[in-house]
Amino acid sequence: MSEIFEEVGVLDQTFTQKTLKNGINIYVHSTPKFKTTTFCMFIHQNLARETATKTALIPFVLKRGSKSFPTSRKMNLFLEELYGTSMGGDILKRGEIQIMQFFMETVNHNYIDDKSILIKGLTAFKDMILDPLVEDGGFKEDYVNQEKEILKRNIESLYNDKFNYAIERCFQEMCKDEAFSIYKYGNVEDLELIDNKILYNYYKECLSHCPIDFFVLGDVDEEEITDLIEDIFSFERKEITQVKPDFVSKFIEKPNYVEEKQDVNQGKLTMGFRTNTKYSDKDYYSLMVYNGILGGGTHSKLFQNVREKASLAYYAFSRLEKNKGLMLISCGIEFDDKDRAIDIINQQLEDIRKGNITDYEFDSTIKSLVNSYKEAADSPSMIISLYLDSIINGTQRTTEDIIENLYKVSKADVINVAEKICLDTVFFLNKK
Amino acid sequence: MDSFIRERLFSKETKNGLKVFVIPKKDYNKIFAMYSTHYGSIDSEFIVPDTGEHLKVPEGIAHFLEHKMFEMEYGNVFDKFAELGASSNAFTSYTNTTYLFSATSHFEENLRLLLEYVETPYFIEASVEKEKGIITQELRMYEDEPEWQVLLNLLKCLYHKHPVRIDIGGTVESIQKIDVETLYKCYNTFYHPSNMILFVIGCVEPEKVFELVEETHNTKGLTPQGEIKRIYPEEPPTVYKSSHTVQLDVNEPLFLTGFKDIDVGYDGMPLLKKEITTGILLEIMFGRSSELYERLYEKGLIDDRFSFGYEGQKDYGFCTIGGETKDPDTLHKELSESISGYIKRGIDIKDFQRVKKKFTGEFISSLNSLEFIASTFVSYYHKNVNFFDYLKVLEEITIDDVTKRLNTFFDFSRNATSVVVPK
C-alpha cells in the first residue's frame, strides 16, 4: 500500500540556552506552532526529610498573594482580564530531586486585542515568585497557616485515590531507607515545625542556592524575550548547590511482601523493581524497550496476558521511574486472584529473560516509543518536560538521538538489560 | 473558515450519509482521528429500524459493545494499530461512543484500519463471556473512586427515571445479561454511517482523507437508513431525592451539589448559547476571582480542587459544584446563601465582561491541543453544534441573558446534594 499522506513535522525542539551571571539558565524556543506562550520556572532541591515539607508549601503560599496582588483573588482578577492567562505553581518529584514548578501561559498577542499581554503576564509571574507578600520578616502568617492546613489535607487525601495510593505505598516500602520514599508534598508531622518566618527564610535560601531553570516556548523573538527575562531575573544569588537524582544500584535476594487492608471493592497489586540502569546509561534505551514489551501498551505482555487472555484485570501496565532507576507494575484485580496474577506476571518477566519475545511485541514496542516521542513535540508542556529530564540527568539528548538509539536496540540487548532487573517489593491493597 | 483563529475546516458527506471533517495542521507531527457514533449509555430503549421491534436493552451495553468492537475475526485491532506504531483507544459517554487513534506515521493505513474495524462487527459468545470479567474489574475500579461515586449518586438524586442516572458501564449484574444477538441489534441500529461522524486533524491533506473514505465506502454499498427512534422515559421536573450520603473508605468527605435544568428539549445554536451563558454565570459566582471562593478558601471549607461545571445535552442538563471539604453541611449552606444573594443582587457588569475575556482566551489556548479540538468538535457535532461557532456565540451573549439564566436556573426545588463520608 503506498503512503499517500506526506509526513511533515519537526522533531527537534531546539532551545537557545543562556546562563545568567547569577547562574539561572534560560531556555527559549521560538515557534509559531502554538497559540500561546508558555513560561516555566523550575527551582531544584535535593529531596530530604528536613526540607521536603517546606519546599512543598512554598508554591502554594506564593500563589496566595504578592506585593502588587496581596490576595489571590486580586491576582486572579488581573489574570482573567489578561484573557484568562493561567498562572500557578506545584511540586514535581524526579528521582530524589524535589522541584518547585511555576508556570504562566498567555494567549499569543496575534490572536487578541492586547499587544502588551506578554509583558503584563510576565510582570505578574515575576511578582508571584520574587515579590511575595512579607510582614515582620516572614510570609503573611494567615496564608502560611491556611496553606499548612490545606497541604495536610492534600497529603492525607492521597488515601482517597486508591490507584495512586497503592503505587506510592509500594515505592515507600521499597525505598524505606532512601530519600525517594518521601512523598512529593512532604510529611504531615513536619508541618508543625514550620512557621511563616522559617518558611520565608528557607525560600530566600532556595532562591540564593538552588539551581533554577527558566523555559519560554511560543511565538516570541528569542533575543528580545531573553533580554526581558535577564532584566527581571538578574537578582543576586550565592553559590549554587548541586542536586542530582541519586540513583542506587541494588540487587535483592528476597523480595519484600507488604499487604494493607482497606474497605475497598477491588484489590490493587503493585510490584516495585530495581532496574539497576540509569537514565544516562547507554543501555537505558534497552530498558525502555524492555518496559514497553512488558507493560507499555496494548501490545505488551501484561495487557495481552493479564487482561486479554486471563481476563483478570481492566488495567495492567508497567512503567519506569527513569531518574531513580525503578520500574513499577500495577493492576486492579479481584482479591482472590492475587496469586494467579502474580504467577502470570512472573511468567512474563521470565519469558523476557529467556528471550521469548515475539517480533510483534518487539517491533510494536519500538514503534510505539518512537510515536510517543514524536507526539510529544505537539505539546508545549511535553516538550519542556522532556527537556527538563535531560537537564536533570545531565544528558542533553535530542528527540532525534533518542529515536535513533531506540532503533539500534536488539532483542539481545533487551535480554541483557532484563538480567539486571530484580523484584524488590510487592504491595497489595486487600479488602478488610 | 476562520481567518482570525487561523484554522480551516473542510467537510464532505458520503453517499450513505457519513459526515467527514478535516482540519489540516501542517506543523504538527501527528494525526489524530475520531470515528464517533451518536449512541451512548442513555440509548437503552429504541425501535430497531429494519424490523420495527421495540427493544429495551441491558444497562451498560453501549460501553460493552465499544469493548467488543476491537475484536475482529483475525484477532484484536489493538495489535494492528500497534504494528503500525499508532496508539488507539475508545470511550463511551452518556450520549456517544467514540473510537480514535493517534499516529505519527502510516496515516493512510491507520485511517483505513479505523474505518474497517468500526464498520465490522464481530461478536462471538466465548469472547463476549470473557469480556464480562474485564468489564467487571473496570466497574469495581470505579466503585473505589469517590469522585465518580459522588457524581453518580448526585445524578440518581436529580433524576427520577432518565437513564443518565445509570452508570455508563451498567452494573456487574446488568452486564451478565448481554448476549451476542442484542449486541448485533444495537450495532445495526446505531452504527449506520448516517448516525456517525469522522473527524481527522493533523498533518493531512483533506482531499486525501475524502478520497480514502469514498473509496472504502463505495465498495460497501450500504443502503440509507431512516431516522432512529430513541425512547426516553417521561422525566418529571422535580428532583427524585434532595440528598444522598454514602460511606466509603476515604479520609475526607467529598461534597457535590447540583441543579437540574428543565429548560431542555432543543439542541443546536440555542443549546450552545445556553451552555456558554451558564458557564459564564457559574464562573462569576464560584470562580477563582469570586468573593465566595475567597471566603470559602479562607475558612478552610474548600481547596484549589474545588470545581464546578455545566453539562448540557438535548434532553437533559445539570450543573455540579463541589469538592473535598471538612464540613459538607456548612459548605452547602454557604453555597445556597450565596446563590440566593446573587438572585437578589444580580450580576455585576464588570464581572460579566471580565469572564467573557477569560472565556475568549481559554478557547484560543485550547486550540493548541489536537485531541481537545477533535473531542470537543465531535461531542458538539452530536448536539448539532459547530464548535467553531463558539466565539461568535460567546460574543453575542449579553448580561441580560446571564441574568435571565440566573433567575430561572437556580431553583432550590431542583437542587440535590451528594456526599461521600469516611467510614
Side-chain angles (χ1 to χ4, degrees):
Chain A
M1 196 185 301
S2 71
E3 193 69 14
I4 56 168
F5 297 122
E6 49 193 313
E7 293 185 30
V8 202
V10 230
L11 277 189
D12 258 340
Q13 293 73 51
T14 41
F15 282 94
T16 309
Q17 192 201 334
K18 176 166 185 182
T19 304
L20 302 184
K21 284 199 193 85
N22 63 10
I24 294 180
N25 295 303
I26 303 176
Y27 301 89
V28 182
H29 175 48
S30 173
T31 168
K33 182 164 167 175
F34 304 113
K35 292 186 165 64
T36 56
T37 313
T38 305
F39 295 84
C40 271
M41 180 161 153
F42 300 100
I43 306 179
H44 306 256
Q45 174 66 295
N46 283 309
L47 184 61
R49 177 80 195 237
E50 308 82 77
T51 51
T53 313
K54 283 188 279 190
T55 307
L57 202 48
I58 283 170
F60 300 100
V61 169
L62 293 181
K63 278 198 272 188
R64 293 299 302 279
S66 66
K67 280 199 192 103
S68 313
F69 305 103
T71 68
S72 47
R73 179 160 181 253
K74 291 200 165 109
M75 207 179 263
N76 280 313
L77 286 166
F78 179 78
L79 294 169
E80 287 179 5
E81 285 290 350
L82 286 188
Y83 290 86
T85 291
S86 63
M87 187 166 97
D90 202 351
I91 295 294
L92 304 175
K93 179 174 149 186
R94 293 282 206 272
E96 295 189 347
I97 302 177
Q98 192 185 14
I99 304 169
M100 290 178 240
Q101 177 200 31
F102 300 96
F103 64 88
M104 194 264 296
E105 190 178 14
T106 62
V107 179
N108 188 284
H109 62 83
N110 290 323
Y111 297 94
I112 47 156
D113 220 8
D114 186 348
K115 297 300 158 208
S116 58
I117 185 166
L118 196 141
I119 300 282
K120 289 180 192 156
L122 201 53
T123 310
F125 193 48
K126 174 228 166 189
D127 224 70
M128 171 176 72
I129 300 168
L130 296 182
D131 291 319
L133 194 60
V134 176
E135 44 179 49
D136 300 331
F139 287 123
K140 190 176 154 83
E141 199 174 357
D142 284 355
Y143 289 173
V144 173
N145 290 338
Q146 284 159 10
E147 290 307 318
K148 276 167 67 177
E149 184 57 31
I150 285 173
L151 188 64
K152 173 173 174 275
R153 281 158 48 192
N154 190 358
I155 295 168
E156 287 171 346
S157 74
L158 176 65
Y159 186 83
N160 297 3
D161 178 355
K162 306 303 177 195
F163 174 86
N164 284 309
Y165 177 82
I167 293 174
E168 190 66 28
R169 287 285 295 119
C170 184
F171 281 141
Q172 270 176 11
E173 288 293 333
M174 185 171 169
C175 304
K176 252 190 226 116
D177 307 319
E178 297 158 59
F180 192 72
S181 64
I182 300 166
Y183 186 42
K184 68 171 178 172
Y185 291 128
N187 281 288
V188 170
E189 306 88 76
D190 295 344
L191 280 166
E192 281 174 33
L193 311 169
I194 303 171
D195 67 21
N196 62 324
K197 291 192 178 71
I198 292 173
L199 193 66
Y200 181 59
N201 287 326
Y202 172 68
Y203 183 51
K204 282 199 292 192
E205 248 176 70
C206 290
L207 284 178
S208 295
H209 294 287
C210 292
I212 297 179
D213 292 310
F214 198 112
F215 284 82
V216 185
L217 192 141
D219 197 358
V220 290
D221 181 305
E222 284 187 9
E223 245 174 84
E224 205 177 288
I225 199 82
T226 308
D227 289 350
L228 201 61
I229 293 163
E230 180 158 12
D231 273 357
I232 297 176
F233 288 91
S234 282
F235 56 94
E236 202 179 316
R237 290 181 13 109
K238 306 208 174 82
E239 200 186 329
I240 308 303
T241 337
Q242 288 297 309
V243 297
K244 53 178 192 312
D246 203 36
F247 163 85
V248 264
S249 190
K250 213 170 169 183
F251 290 87
I252 311 297
E253 293 276 311
K254 193 178 173 296
N256 188 16
Y257 177 82
V258 184
E259 190 173 295
E260 191 175 308
K261 290 185 172 155
Q262 290 184 16
D263 208 338
V264 287
N265 295 295
Q266 183 180 60
K268 302 274 194 258
L269 176 65
T270 46
M271 299 166 81
F273 297 77
R274 304 276 172 176
T275 67
N276 293 301
T277 304
K278 56 175 180 290
Y279 188 65
S280 51
D281 287 345
K282 264 207 145 157
D283 58 352
Y284 182 77
Y285 300 100
S286 313
L287 180 65
M288 280 166 77
V289 177
Y290 173 93
N291 175 63
I293 293 169
L294 178 66
T298 56
H299 59 277
S300 70
K301 287 186 182 286
L302 291 179
F303 188 90
Q304 295 286 346
N305 291 287
V306 179
R307 173 175 152 142
E308 292 297 306
K309 287 213 182 90
S311 255
L312 290 188
Y314 169 65
Y315 70 89
F317 66 87
S318 65
R319 73 174 183 221
L320 298 172
E321 206 307 344
K322 57 184 152 200
N323 306 287
K324 175 75 183 167
L326 307 180
M327 183 177 78
L328 179 103
I329 291 178
S330 167
C331 56
I333 54 174
E334 281 298 334
F335 305 101
D336 295 341
D337 286 335
K338 183 195 74 192
D339 291 333
R340 224 180 120 208
I342 292 177
D343 283 348
I344 297 174
I345 291 167
N346 281 331
Q347 186 60 49
Q348 309 316 308
L349 296 161
E350 187 55 30
D351 276 350
I352 304 186
R353 262 194 297 271
K354 282 193 199 138
N356 293 334
I357 302 165
T358 63
D359 287 345
Y360 162 72
E361 287 164 344
F362 185 79
D363 295 342
S364 301
T365 294
I366 307 266
K367 284 176 192 160
S368 135
L369 286 167
V370 169
N371 185 47
S372 58
Y373 273 102
K374 284 165 92 177
E375 277 197 18
D378 290 342
S379 148
S381 60
M382 282 306 296
I383 295 172
I384 293 173
S385 169
L386 282 177
Y387 209 79
L388 181 70
D389 276 335
S390 62
I391 293 171
I392 288 172
N393 290 283
T395 51
Q396 304 265 334
R397 287 172 178 155
T398 65
T399 307
E400 268 173 348
D401 285 343
I402 295 174
I403 290 174
E404 204 184 303
N405 278 295
L406 281 170
Y407 279 126
K408 281 186 197 152
V409 175
S410 68
K411 280 189 194 172
D413 295 332
V414 173
I415 297 164
N416 283 335
V417 88
E419 282 302 316
K420 295 195 281 175
I421 296 171
C422 53
L423 178 62
D424 184 311
T425 296
V426 177
F427 178 86
F428 187 54
L429 182 59
N430 206 339
K431 66 177 170 189
K432 270 186 180 155
Chain B
M1 174 204 55
D2 206 324
S3 59
F4 160 64
I5 54 163
R6 298 183 194 168
E7 304 292 354
R8 283 170 308 146
L9 176 70
F10 296 82
S11 64
K12 196 159 185 173
E13 187 173 332
T14 64
K15 280 187 206 114
N16 52 31
L18 174 68
K19 267 68 106 202
V20 186
F21 295 89
V22 184
I23 295 182
K25 298 276 268 188
K26 284 290 172 129
D27 50 358
Y28 276 65
N29 286 343
K30 87 176 119 194
I31 173 175
F32 186 81
M34 283 185 146
Y35 198 9
S36 176
T37 167
H38 185 194
Y39 169 50
S41 67
I42 64 168
D43 300 306
S44 51
E45 197 178 345
F46 54 91
I47 310 285
V48 181
D50 43 353
T51 61
E53 182 190 2
H54 181 146
L55 209 58
K56 203 165 186 289
V57 293
E59 291 160 1
I61 197 167
H63 169 257
F64 200 103
L65 178 57
E66 170 230 300
H67 272 238
K68 286 330 292 171
M69 284 312 297
F70 284 88
E71 195 155 291
M72 299 286 274
E73 205 170 348
Y74 58 73
N76 199 314
V77 174
F78 277 131
D79 303 356
K80 291 274 170 193
F81 278 112
E83 278 173 18
L84 293 169
S87 60
S88 61
N89 212 338
F91 60 88
T92 307
S93 70
Y94 290 111
T95 52
N96 321 315
T97 312
T98 303
Y99 301 84
L100 59 97
F101 75 82
S102 76
T104 50
S105 64
H106 304 290
F107 303 143
E108 182 190 345
E109 286 139 290
N110 279 309
L111 194 52
R112 276 185 204 279
L113 185 58
L114 177 68
L115 293 170
E116 181 196 64
Y117 90 87
V118 178
E119 290 164 10
T120 314
Y122 177 74
F123 310 131
I124 54 169
E125 206 188 323
S127 82
V128 167
E129 289 311 306
K130 195 203 70 183
E131 203 66 29
K132 288 176 183 171
I134 296 172
I135 295 181
T136 298
Q137 285 315 311
E138 187 177 359
L139 295 172
R140 293 271 184 252
M141 177 180 82
Y142 286 121
E143 284 172 17
D144 287 334
E145 285 181 15
E147 275 99 8
W148 184 242
Q149 292 307 313
V150 82
L151 174 64
L152 278 183
N153 290 330
L154 177 64
L155 294 175
K156 283 196 194 305
C157 289
L158 289 175
Y159 291 90
H160 295 257
K161 292 175 178 162
H162 194 281
V164 72
R165 70 194 304 280
I166 310 293
D167 191 345
I168 294 168
T171 62
V172 173
E173 294 72 42
S174 76
I175 62 166
Q176 305 309 322
K177 296 177 211 141
I178 292 172
D179 59 27
V180 167
E181 193 196 344
T182 323
L183 284 171
Y184 274 110
K185 281 182 183 164
C186 291
Y187 181 87
N188 290 330
T189 304
F190 293 104
Y191 281 66
H192 189 275
S194 57
N195 192 42
M196 301 186 72
I197 168 180
L198 176 69
F199 185 89
V200 183
I201 184 165
C203 45
V204 284
E205 290 286 351
E207 274 313 310
K208 301 284 183 193
V209 175
F210 298 142
E211 271 170 36
L212 190 148
V213 175
E214 291 280 351
E215 183 197 313
T216 55
H217 273 218
N218 278 345
T219 56
K220 290 221 163 69
L222 270 168
T223 48
Q225 181 185 267
E227 206 187 330
I228 302 162
K229 180 114 184 63
R230 303 159 200 254
I231 298 157
Y232 302 117
E234 190 79 25
E235 174 66 29
T238 54
V239 296
Y240 172 64
K241 210 173 146 187
S242 63
S243 73
H244 188 82
T245 300
V246 286
Q247 292 188 328
L248 283 179
D249 199 345
V250 293
N251 255 332
E252 195 170 67
L254 196 59
F255 166 91
L256 199 66
T257 192
F259 285 81
K260 178 176 180 170
D261 195 355
I262 54 162
D263 176 22
V264 293
Y266 55 91
D267 59 8
M269 291 286 253
L271 175 59
L272 179 61
K273 184 174 173 187
K274 180 179 79 172
E275 251 188 72
I276 303 175
T277 305
T278 315
I280 293 173
L281 182 59
L282 293 171
E283 188 67 46
I284 292 172
M285 297 168 78
F286 309 111
R288 297 296 159 98
S289 61
S290 66
E291 277 167 23
L292 177 68
Y293 184 92
E294 183 173 59
R295 191 171 69 240
L296 297 177
Y297 193 98
E298 293 200 335
K299 284 188 176 172
L301 285 168
I302 58 168
D303 57 38
D304 63 2
R305 289 170 294 176
F306 176 78
S307 68
F308 51 88
Y310 174 76
E311 166 72 14
Q313 294 289 340
K314 187 179 172 197
D315 294 300
Y316 66 88
F318 57 87
C319 79
T320 56
I321 309 156
E324 280 187 23
T325 180
K326 60 182 180 192
D327 186 351
D329 289 339
T330 310
L331 177 57
H332 192 201
K333 198 168 149 270
E334 287 269 2
L335 289 170
S336 302
E337 279 171 11
S338 168
I339 292 167
S340 303
Y342 269 106
I343 293 172
K344 269 192 215 128
R345 281 194 326 270
I347 299 291
D348 187 327
I349 183 83
K350 271 190 268 169
D351 289 337
F352 169 72
Q353 285 162 343
R354 188 186 66 251
V355 169
K356 260 179 112 167
K357 265 181 135 178
K358 173 178 153 80
F359 278 28
T360 306
E362 285 176 349
F363 174 84
I364 296 165
S365 302
S366 73
L367 302 178
N368 277 348
S369 161
L370 305 194
E371 289 86 346
F372 180 85
I373 297 174
S375 52
T376 315
F377 188 95
V378 166
S379 64
Y380 271 134
Y381 174 81
H382 289 309
K383 300 195 260 189
N384 263 322
V385 171
N386 181 345
F387 170 55
F388 291 99
D389 284 336
Y390 184 94
L391 284 180
K392 194 172 75 193
V393 173
L394 174 62
E395 192 47 47
E396 283 165 9
I397 292 172
T398 65
I399 188 161
D400 291 342
D401 295 324
V402 178
T403 307
K404 201 175 143 213
R405 184 70 171 152
L406 166 68
N407 292 326
T408 51
F409 181 58
F410 290 108
D411 179 329
F412 284 98
S413 71
R414 292 192 298 271
N415 175 226
T417 299
S418 162
V419 181
V420 171
V421 292
K423 271 195 177 163

